[in-house]
């Protein structure tokens, strides 16, 4: 993400955080469930700036677990603005974005930041980078839809997400089983609708 002078990007889950303690992380975006305790591992990281956002990883409102809102994605974009605004104060950086498993909320957040900070970048190339960075990426479709709207991408980010789902389903049948178990069949349908028969 050259426009914000962040040369290294990492996506991970909570269990993987200890492996990044000595990787020169300068910025952290934590996306956690509202009721989850804050991981204590960050006390063992080098000095860094950290922002915590809290919302659930679902795509439909469930009792006690509402889906991400536009305000949640606006908070991610506000975080991106702070990175852009502070780029003159640093030469380099390492941004780590994590959620519970590093699969859905964190990948959607990173896509949002990349699309924000590189407004002329092709959407499919953003998703290619996400797959390279995090092969198990299955971004939250609700978050991506709000990002698409807020960034004025006119549906292109959502269309690229559907193509990403199709690629992931073709790569590994695990995704269909996994997302069906998590009641994310609608997203599976987006991908399967684009698959070759």
């Amino acid at each position: 993400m050259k426009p914000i002078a962040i040369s290294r990007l990492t996506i991970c889950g909570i269990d993987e955080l200890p492996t990044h303690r000595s990787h020169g992380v300068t910025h952290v975006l934590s996306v956690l469930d509202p009721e989850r305790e804050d991981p204590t591992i960050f006390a063992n990281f080098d000095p860094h700036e950290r922002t915590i956002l809290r919302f659930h990883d679902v795509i439909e409102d469930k009792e006690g677990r509402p889906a991400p809102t536009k305000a949640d994605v606006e908070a991610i974009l506000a975080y991106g603005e702070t990175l852009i605004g502070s780029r003159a104060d640093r030469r380099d950086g390492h941004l780590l974005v994590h959620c519970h498993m590093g699969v859905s909320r964190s990948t959607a957040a990173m896509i949002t930041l990349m699309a924000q900070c590189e407004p002329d970048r092709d959407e499919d190339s953003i998703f290619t980078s996400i797959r390279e960075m995090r092969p198990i990426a299955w971004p939250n479709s609700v978050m991506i839809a709000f990002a698409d709207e807020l960034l004025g991408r006119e549906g292109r980010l959502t269309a690229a997400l559907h193509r990403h789902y199709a690629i992931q389903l073709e790569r590994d049948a695990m995704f269909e089983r996994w997302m069906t178990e998590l009641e994310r069949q609608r997203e599976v349908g987006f991908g399967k609708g684009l698959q070759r028969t």
Side-chain angles (χ1 to χ4, degrees), residues 105-117:
R105 287 170 292 182
S106 56
T107 59
M110 187 68 86
I111 289 163
T112 299
L113 293 170
M114 293 171 73
Q116 174 188 28
C117 297

Side-chain angles (χ1 to χ4, degrees), residues 6 18 70 118 130 132 197:
I6 296 284
K70 182 184 284 190
E118 302 179 73
I130 289 295
E132 292 170 352
T197 56

Side-chain angles (χ1 to χ4, degrees), residues 21-182:
R21 284 179 298 190
S22 59
H23 290 177
V25 172
T26 58
H27 297 77
V28 176
L29 177 60
S30 296
V31 184
L32 302 169
D33 291 346
E35 67 281 358
R36 188 176 184 92
E37 290 187 13
D38 192 28
T40 59
I41 187 64
F42 290 107
N44 299 323
F45 274 54
D46 290 333
H48 60 278
E49 298 176 13
R50 182 168 176 239
T51 296
I52 304 170
L53 302 178
R54 291 185 176 272
F55 53 87
H56 293 287
D57 183 27
V58 293
I59 61 171
E60 295 176 349
D61 291 342
K62 300 178 184 299
E63 187 174 346
R65 299 180 69 211
T69 65
K70 182 184 284 190
D72 294 321
V73 177
E74 287 172 338
I76 294 168
L77 293 171
Y79 178 74
E81 286 299 324
T82 67
L83 293 179
I84 293 169
S86 65
R87 65 186 174 195
D89 300 329
R90 64 179 181 276
R91 291 183 306 164
D92 209 344
H94 180 180
L95 170 63
L96 184 149
V97 180
H98 82 90
C99 57
H100 181 67
M101 296 185 67
V103 173
S104 183
R105 287 170 292 182
S106 56
T107 59
M110 187 68 86
I111 289 163
T112 299
L113 293 170
M114 293 171 73
Q116 174 188 28
C117 297
E118 302 179 73
D120 297 325
R121 184 172 178 184
D122 172 77
E123 290 80 11
D124 285 308
S125 77
I126 293 174
F127 282 91
T128 297
S129 292
I130 289 295
R131 285 191 297 276
E132 292 170 352
M133 195 183 314
R134 193 67 173 168
I136 60 172
W138 189 275
N140 184 295
S141 60
V142 173
M143 293 173 64
I144 294 298
F146 284 130
D148 197 329
E149 174 190 348
L150 290 165
L151 292 170
R153 291 270 179 159
E154 299 181 337
R156 297 187 304 275
L157 205 58
T158 296
L161 172 68
H162 294 181
R163 290 189 289 272
H164 168 82
Y165 288 156
I167 290 168
Q168 295 295 69
L169 290 168
E170 288 181 4
R171 284 177 58 196
D172 194 333
M174 166 201 75
F175 283 107
E176 182 171 1
R177 295 192 304 271
W178 190 10
M179 292 303 138
T180 299
E181 289 171 3
L182 293 174

Side-chain angles (χ1 to χ4, degrees), residues 175-194:
F175 283 107
E176 182 171 1
R177 295 192 304 271
W178 190 10
M179 292 303 138
T180 299
E181 289 171 3
L182 293 174
E183 300 180 19
R184 306 274 286 264
Q185 296 96 323
R186 188 173 70 202
E187 293 173 336
V188 172
F190 292 149
K192 288 179 78 69
L194 296 175

